Amino acid sequence: MEGKNYLTPGEIAETTIQTGMKKVRLAWLHQLLLGILAGAFIAFAAEGSNMAAFNLFAKPETYGLGKVLAGAIFGTGLMLVVLAGGELFTGNTLIVMGILDGKVKVREMLKNWFFVYLGNLIGSLLIAHMMVQSGLLNSGANVLGGVTIKIASYKVGLTFMQAFYLGIMCNWLVCLAVWLAYGAKDMVGKIFGIFFPIWLFITSGFEHSIANMYYIPAGIMAKANPAWAEASHLAAEQLANLNWSTFIVNNLIPVTLGNIIGGSMFVGGVYWFVYMKNNKQASVKKMAA
């Protein structure tokens, strides 16, 4: 079909591999700086979605509606990453397609993941610090501060396997959003391709390692404010359990592992196998003949 403004799945697979090749060949400083920007973009999406929905989150009977509203806003973060320019660890799990295709080396991918992940963390922590210091968590008579702490407490209270599976499902959808964005040829198409899978992931309550680099540190910082801690209505033991150690061990590690599997296996791996493996084998046979 001539004039179509989208790519077929097979064409998206090729584009994803080519994009991964470009990503791993960026200078390490560029990977880091673009990672910082992406971490900040995702943190902006996280704080903005919390600001919009905190009153709904505070009541059990409206919690689901709060997730719907938060999800409608959160997609802005990935839109900024993809369209404005940024390097996001979770989306970069699709680089595995280049490895499977023999065009990217494992060490190149791991180097990219390291600098991008570090950059994402720096950007997220920067926004978390500024949000806490800005006083915006006083919003709604301190309810936003309380909800910020409560969200963080919930996340560090997950079991390893709960966080792991929630991480898989999250990045399955996030990488599908990236996949659809690669498949659209205009900005409007890319925005819509990103919007709906991200809306679904947030509404579902899945776990995103980079978003949690904002959510949990913001809660840890916020609990030092007595008014916000009181507004969280959490017991002293729950507040004590919210700390940097539980952030890393209880959430960041299992969610990151789940995100890697969700993106690299369920999106990158499957689509490479379906759309690229046979083509690659056919090309090799043709060259041999």
Side-chain angles (χ1 to χ4, degrees), residues 36-51 73-74 76-77 80 123-124 126-128 130-131 214-215:
I36 291 172
L37 289 181
F41 296 160
I42 297 301
F44 277 132
E47 61 81 12
S49 59
N50 276 356
M51 175 65 83
I73 293 171
F74 193 91
T76 306
L80 290 172
S124 300
L126 177 64
I127 301 303
M130 289 196 287
M131 277 295 295
Y214 169 81
Y215 284 125

Side-chain angles (χ1 to χ4, degrees), residues 117 160 163-164 209 245-260:
Y117 194 85
F160 186 97
F164 177 71
S209 57
S245 176
T246 56
F247 163 48
I248 295 169
V249 176
N250 293 9
N251 189 277
L252 199 57
I253 290 174
V255 170
T256 298
L257 292 174
N259 287 168
I260 290 171

Side-chain angles (χ1 to χ4, degrees), residues 58-71:
K59 302 174 184 177
E61 61 270 23
T62 57
Y63 182 80
L65 289 175
K67 298 296 283 184
V68 171
L69 177 57

Side-chain angles (χ1 to χ4, degrees), residues 70-105:
I73 293 171
F74 193 91
T76 306
L78 187 58
M79 292 173 198
L80 290 172
V81 171
V82 173
L83 301 178
E87 287 291 308
L88 186 65
F89 168 76
T90 45
N92 284 9
T93 58
L94 289 173
I95 293 173
V96 77
M97 293 183 72
I99 291 175
L100 294 173
D101 215 52
K103 294 175 181 175
V104 173
K105 296 178 181 177

Side-chain angles (χ1 to χ4, degrees), residues 108-176:
E108 290 179 315
M109 181 185 72
L110 294 178
K111 177 184 173 184
N112 175 272
W113 283 4
F114 173 79
F115 285 113
V116 169
Y117 194 85
L118 177 61
N120 291 166
L121 178 61
I122 293 170
S124 300
L125 291 175
L126 177 64
I127 301 303
H129 171 75
M130 289 196 287
M131 277 295 295
V132 171
Q133 295 300 315
S134 73
L136 279 174
L137 298 188
N138 292 321
S139 300
N142 299 317
V143 174
L144 177 57
V147 167
T148 299
I149 297 169
K150 195 171 183 179
I151 289 171
S153 176
Y154 159 76
K155 289 178 178 293
V156 301
L158 294 168
T159 67
F160 186 97
M161 293 310 298
Q162 286 174 332
F164 177 71
Y165 284 126
L166 290 169
I168 291 175
M169 292 186 285
C170 166
N171 211 34
W172 194 337
L173 289 174
V174 170
C175 284
L176 284 174

